């Protein structure tokens, strides 16, 4: 059984159709990308999966439980890190625990191990302005993980980073995923990023957006260095470009 199952999602803003009969699956410990051009409904789909919007048709299930229209069941990280500048990194990270009713003192006791696993050791008492872009993204991802520790929805989390930092973050995130047994649904419009990170890719295209194809990346994660220069990589890229 899929950990996350999205079935027949159809959604419109007033009279404007946005998504049409979208279905996808995320299995345990997978990283699955949703790849498509701007305006095809990717972020709206995440709003529906996270429970922020309710579709006109279709449903979302988490471990067999219907969570359609029920926020707070999966983690959701948007493009910007959205760290609060007046809070330390530690106090940014524990926000989900505080929102769930935990006392600050108890919440702070729960996070030290995760700071080490996320490569953030030593940043606890710093403020967001004191960290690099990559480190702020790590802190935002840790805060996302503290919200719900099974499934994470990431909406282009590395798009604002430079190429070298992005490549480093890719390797780091895949390592963290394996360590903490996280499953990830990932939005991107970057074809190279999708091929390098994903177990599977759903192509979303059209207006309204529809899933036009599912592509399985056979190369095991993490991809070997130089994979983006191989004929296998280029073949995946050609196939995607032909279908988008």
């Amino acid at each position: 059984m899929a950990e996350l199952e999205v079935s027949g999602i159809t959604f419109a803003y007033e009279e404007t159709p946005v998504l049409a009969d979208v279905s996808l699956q995320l299995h345990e410990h997978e990283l699955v990308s949703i790849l498509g051009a701007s305006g095809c409904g990717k972020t709206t789909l995440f709003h529906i999966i996270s429970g922020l919007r309710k579709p006109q048709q279709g449903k979302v299930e988490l471990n067999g439980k219907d969570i359609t229209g029920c926020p707070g069941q999966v983690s959701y990280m948007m493009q910007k890190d959205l760290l609060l500048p007046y809070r330390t990194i530690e106090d940014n990270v524990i926000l989900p625990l505080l929102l769930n009713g935990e006392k600050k003192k108890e919440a702070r006791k729960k996070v030290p191990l995760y700071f080490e696993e996320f490569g953030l050791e030593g940043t606890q008492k710093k403020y967001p302005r004191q960290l690099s872009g990559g480190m702020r993204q790590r802190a935002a991802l840790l805060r996302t993980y503290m919200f719900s520790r099974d499934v994470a929805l990431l909406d282009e989390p590395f798009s604002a980073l430079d190429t070298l930092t992005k490549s480093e973050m890719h390797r780091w995130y895949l390592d963290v995923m394996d360590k903490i047994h996280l499953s990830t649904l990932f939005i991107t419009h970057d074809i190279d990023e999708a091929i390098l990170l994903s177990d599977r890719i759903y192509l979303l295209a059209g207006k309204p957006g529809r899933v036009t194809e599912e592509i399985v990346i056979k190369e095991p994660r993490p991809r070997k260095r130089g994979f983006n220069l191989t004929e296998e990589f280029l073949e995946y890229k050609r196939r995607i470009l032909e279908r988008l």
Side-chain angles (χ1 to χ4, degrees):
M1 183 177 69
E3 188 168 12
L4 181 72
E5 179 114 27
V6 177
S7 306
I9 295 295
T10 296
F11 181 83
Y13 288 114
E14 298 179 349
E15 300 300 316
T16 305
V18 179
L19 296 167
D21 195 27
V22 172
S23 297
L24 57 85
Q25 294 182 331
L26 175 67
H27 295 97
E28 194 173 12
H29 304 163
E30 271 192 317
L31 192 152
V32 172
S33 288
I34 300 171
L35 178 62
S38 297
C40 67
K42 300 187 301 294
T43 297
T44 299
L45 179 60
F46 265 26
H47 287 172
I48 291 169
I49 294 172
S50 64
L52 297 177
R53 294 188 181 275
K54 196 166 184 177
Q56 280 82 34
Q57 295 179 33
K59 64 180 179 178
V60 180
E61 294 176 289
L62 181 66
N63 294 316
K65 177 186 175 184
D66 190 340
I67 61 166
T68 312
C70 300
Q73 306 302 306
V74 297
S75 300
Y76 182 16
M77 179 177 162
M78 301 178 191
Q79 294 180 30
K80 296 182 179 179
D81 61 59
L82 299 179
L83 296 174
L84 299 176
Y86 53 85
R87 284 181 174 265
T88 64
I89 298 303
E90 179 181 53
D91 285 345
N92 267 284
V93 164
I94 65 171
L95 271 174
L97 303 179
L98 301 182
L99 292 172
N100 283 333
E102 294 197 32
K103 300 293 185 183
K104 183 181 287 188
K105 185 176 180 180
E106 294 305 312
R108 282 176 171 170
K109 290 179 181 178
K110 292 185 176 182
V111 297
L113 176 63
Y114 296 114
F115 270 85
E116 183 178 342
E117 288 187 340
F118 275 70
L120 289 164
E121 188 62 41
T123 68
Q124 288 91 326
K125 302 305 180 185
K126 292 185 177 181
Y127 289 86
R129 66 179 180 275
Q130 296 175 286
L131 301 187
S132 67
M135 292 297 278
R136 287 197 302 271
Q137 287 301 90
R138 291 190 188 204
L141 285 161
L142 176 52
R143 183 180 60 185
T144 299
Y145 177 67
M146 297 306 296
F147 183 80
S148 173
R149 302 179 190 183
D150 295 319
V151 172
L153 310 181
L154 305 185
D155 189 347
E156 300 194 62
F158 310 130
S159 60
L161 302 176
D162 64 79
T163 302
L164 291 176
T165 304
K166 182 187 287 192
S167 179
E168 178 187 334
M169 287 294 291
H170 287 168
R171 292 192 295 272
W172 168 80
Y173 186 71
L174 292 176
D175 184 54
V176 167
M177 264 189 69
D178 287 340
K179 284 182 179 177
I180 62 179
H181 307 295
L182 184 65
S183 307
T184 302
L185 197 58
F186 189 93
I187 281 179
T188 183
H189 63 264
D190 185 329
I191 295 174
D192 289 20
E193 182 173 62
I195 298 170
L196 289 170
L197 290 180
S198 308
D199 296 295
R200 292 182 293 115
I201 300 170
Y202 287 101
L203 303 185
L204 194 67
K207 294 186 178 182
R210 302 174 185 269
V211 173
T212 57
E213 189 164 354
E214 176 190 350
I215 295 174
V216 177
I217 307 297
K218 296 179 180 178
E219 182 78 12
R221 285 194 290 110
R223 312 276 119 91
K224 62 179 181 286
R225 288 187 181 273
F227 176 65
N228 59 328
L229 302 175
T230 65
E231 184 57 36
E232 291 89 343
F233 179 92
L234 295 175
E235 182 56 38
Y236 284 123
K237 190 167 185 176
R238 279 193 289 265
R239 180 177 171 188
I240 291 168
L241 286 168
E242 286 171 0
R243 288 159 173 76
L244 283 180

